[in-house]
Amino acid sequence: MLSRLLRTPVLLLAVCGWHLAQAQTAVVIGGNLRFDNDEVWQRIVDEAGGAGKARVAVLATASAAPEQSANAIVQVLQKHGASAEHIPVAPRLEGADLQKNLNDPALIAKIRGANAVFFSGGAQGLIVDTFQPGGKNTAMLDAIWDVYRRGGVVAGTSAGAAIMSRTMFRDALDVMGVMRGQMRDGHEIDRGLGFVTDRLFVDQHFLKRGRIGRMLPLMMAQGYRLGLGIEENSAAVIRGPSVDIIGARGALLVDLRSARTDPSLTMFNVQDARLSYLDNGDHYDLRSGQVTPEKRKTPLPEARIIRASHAVTSPVSTFQTDILGDNRIVQAMAELMTAPSGEVRAMAARVRPGATEPRDRTAFVFRLYRGEGTQGWFNSQGDADDITLLDVRLDVRPVPVPLAAPPRLAANNLTPVQQAPDGPGGSPSDTAATPR
């Protein structure tokens, strides 16, 4: 049973009093959802009643090209058996009267008559500003909530995923900026629409864009103890306490139940955060805190995992120069599973040319290490990247960057000693004008 079912340390439900509906379903998609990802599209339709019964209202409110985006979504949903319709409520919809359509009783009735609502990608601020201006629900948002509360589906990709939590990143493409303390209400962060339980924070484009660096500071600042960062072309299907990971890759589960900070450090820092990587086919139960890896996966032998009770005396065997690069956090977690030293260290050290302020020249050391409960699964008959990694420990602490060069860590300390250029994927791609 232990090879198939593991109790993770996330036991928040009994402690915090989770309130979870038993029927309503949120399909949180990490962005860049391909139209040939049949698993995710079909799951939306199935959760909404299946082929011939699913009625989906499509909202491209966040999109820069709403009509084009909505039409493509409608077509792919119809291909999978749904009856889908574009509800034309979008600030950037050419020739449309936004306020008239937003308050149109006929359009509101169409949403209320649906059993699923799909939010497209784009700019998440447009969704919140349109449906909840000044923090007050519009009649159309009330209709969406009616669909959800009676057991319907709310699905969203990219921007449509960002609005699922009670708090969201509004415009925080600079991950390092957030780590260095730039997290202003109404700018980097804002209120979300809160479709998932208010004790869970979700983020998107997560592994591709190294967004572990922005999730941790937000969770700590906002009092979250559980976060789920969903990768592109992948989804988390949250139905009551049940979370299924589906699609091309997976999601990172962040648990801060045991986390603490060092108050003597003036910048962001954390000790004893817990990370778990859940891949396609894995299941997580919010109520029990149990993870069930996909049935084809085999556990790594426990003899290969060094436990916290054993002293780690060998030098650090693995060091990465850019933990915020594409998928680097999961790569580091995977390397950790068999690292002789029992730990892996990495840096987040992107410094813009000409930066002179101490805050702008701060880097962060990521130390990943094994502890009691750390475990890994792999698919011995399939893709080598098809893995499940549970309960990896993480400490993060700030270090100053010398004016002359970005830092590189010595093996056994946290002192920046010499220059280490960004590795592959190390360019600050989060500043690009791409869907959030």
Side-chain angles (χ1 to χ4, degrees), residues 78-133:
Q78 289 177 339
K79 174 185 173 183
H80 287 85
S83 172
E85 182 176 358
H86 174 206
I87 306 299
V89 176
R92 296 171 178 170
L93 185 60
E94 187 175 353
D97 185 328
L98 175 61
Q99 291 303 314
K100 179 181 178 181
N101 289 356
L102 181 63
N103 295 288
D104 187 339
L107 293 178
I108 293 171
K110 285 185 177 183
I111 286 182
R112 191 166 275 112
N115 45 28
V117 177
F118 188 101
F119 288 97
S120 79
Q124 50 263 36
L126 294 178
I127 299 176
V128 173
D129 293 348
T130 297
F131 292 106
Q132 199 181 62

Side-chain angles (χ1 to χ4, degrees), residues 302-314 339-343 367 369-373 393:
E302 292 205 8
R304 297 177 65 183
I305 306 295
I306 300 174
R307 296 301 170 193
S309 59
H310 294 81
V312 176
T313 58
S314 58
S341 66
E343 67 176 85
R367 174 178 175 252
Y369 53 102
R370 297 192 293 253
E372 204 64 40
R393 308 303 204 276

Side-chain angles (χ1 to χ4, degrees), residues 174-182 212-214 216-217 265-271 319-324 345-351 358-368 394-401 406-409 414 416:
D174 182 1
V175 171
M176 286 296 297
V178 174
M179 294 190 75
R180 291 170 178 146
Q182 187 160 317
I212 182 66
R214 74 181 197 175
L216 288 167
L265 299 174
T266 58
M267 298 286 284
F268 164 73
N269 69 95
V270 64
Q271 295 86 47
F319 174 78
Q320 295 189 8
T321 56
D322 185 16
I323 196 64
L324 303 184
R345 295 191 187 185
M347 289 290 289
R350 300 173 186 176
V351 177
R359 181 176 294 272
D360 296 333
R361 298 198 64 83
T362 298
F364 295 86
V365 178
F366 282 62
R367 174 178 175 252
L368 296 95
L394 172 67
D395 295 347
V396 182
R397 63 166 295 175
V399 293
V401 179
R408 182 179 184 274
L409 285 187
L414 298 180

Side-chain angles (χ1 to χ4, degrees), residues 57-275:
V58 176
L59 290 162
T61 310
S63 178
E67 189 167 6
Q68 179 182 353
S69 177
N71 288 342
I73 294 167
V74 166
Q75 289 179 24
V76 72
L77 288 169
Q78 289 177 339
K79 174 185 173 183
H80 287 85
S83 172
E85 182 176 358
H86 174 206
I87 306 299
V89 176
R92 296 171 178 170
L93 185 60
E94 187 175 353
D97 185 328
L98 175 61
Q99 291 303 314
K100 179 181 178 181
N101 289 356
L102 181 63
N103 295 288
D104 187 339
L107 293 178
I108 293 171
K110 285 185 177 183
I111 286 182
R112 191 166 275 112
N115 45 28
V117 177
F118 188 101
F119 288 97
S120 79
Q124 50 263 36
L126 294 178
I127 299 176
V128 173
D129 293 348
T130 297
F131 292 106
Q132 199 181 62
K136 183 178 180 181
N137 285 13
T138 60
M140 187 167 283
L141 180 56
D142 286 339
I144 295 169
W145 272 101
D146 284 348
V147 172
Y148 192 50
R149 290 192 178 107
R150 69 170 186 254
V153 176
V154 172
T157 182
S158 190
I163 54 95
M164 294 285 183
S165 303
R166 63 173 167 85
T167 306
M168 71 175 189
F169 281 110
R170 181 184 180 95
D171 190 9
L173 297 183
D174 182 1
V175 171
M176 286 296 297
V178 174
M179 294 190 75
R180 291 170 178 146
Q182 187 160 317
M183 196 161 46
R184 301 164 296 174
D185 288 338
H187 295 273
E188 286 77 21
I189 62 173
D190 207 342
R191 66 187 181 280
L193 298 184
F195 291 108
V196 301
T197 172
D198 64 5
R199 292 177 177 87
L200 175 66
F201 176 71
V202 297
D203 202 0
Q204 22 71 18
H205 297 284
F206 196 78
L207 302 177
K208 183 73 174 178
R209 302 187 187 179
R211 287 181 166 175
I212 182 66
R214 74 181 197 175
M215 176 181 274
L216 288 167
L218 181 144
M219 287 179 64
M220 297 189 72
Q222 297 289 323
Y224 284 101
R225 291 295 176 262
L226 192 64
L228 194 63
I230 304 158
E231 179 54 336
E232 295 181 352
N233 204 27
S234 307
V237 182
I238 304 172
R239 189 175 191 272
S242 174
V243 181
D244 292 331
I245 305 300
I246 61 174
R249 289 175 76 176
L252 193 73
L253 181 69
V254 178
D255 168 27
L256 299 185
R257 180 177 60 94
S258 301
R260 60 193 186 279
T261 62
D262 182 348
S264 70
L265 299 174
T266 58
M267 298 286 284
F268 164 73
N269 69 95
V270 64
Q271 295 86 47
D272 201 20
R274 313 289 178 97
L275 307 181

Side-chain angles (χ1 to χ4, degrees), residues 4-14 18 20 43 197 199-202 225-229 235-246 251-257 274-294 297 388-391:
R4 294 285 309 282
L5 192 63
L6 182 72
R7 185 179 182 86
T8 69
V10 184
L11 300 176
L12 300 174
L13 301 173
W18 289 72
L20 297 169
R43 183 63 176 267
T197 172
R199 292 177 177 87
L200 175 66
F201 176 71
V202 297
R225 291 295 176 262
L226 192 64
L228 194 63
V237 182
I238 304 172
R239 189 175 191 272
S242 174
V243 181
D244 292 331
I245 305 300
I246 61 174
L252 193 73
L253 181 69
V254 178
D255 168 27
L256 299 185
R257 180 177 60 94
R274 313 289 178 97
L275 307 181
S276 296
Y277 175 68
L278 310 180
D279 210 338
N280 181 33
D282 292 344
H283 175 82
Y284 178 68
D285 191 285
L286 289 165
R287 182 174 290 124
S288 67
Q290 292 178 328
V291 172
T292 307
E294 198 273 336
K297 292 177 184 174
T388 300
L389 307 169
L390 302 180
D391 202 18

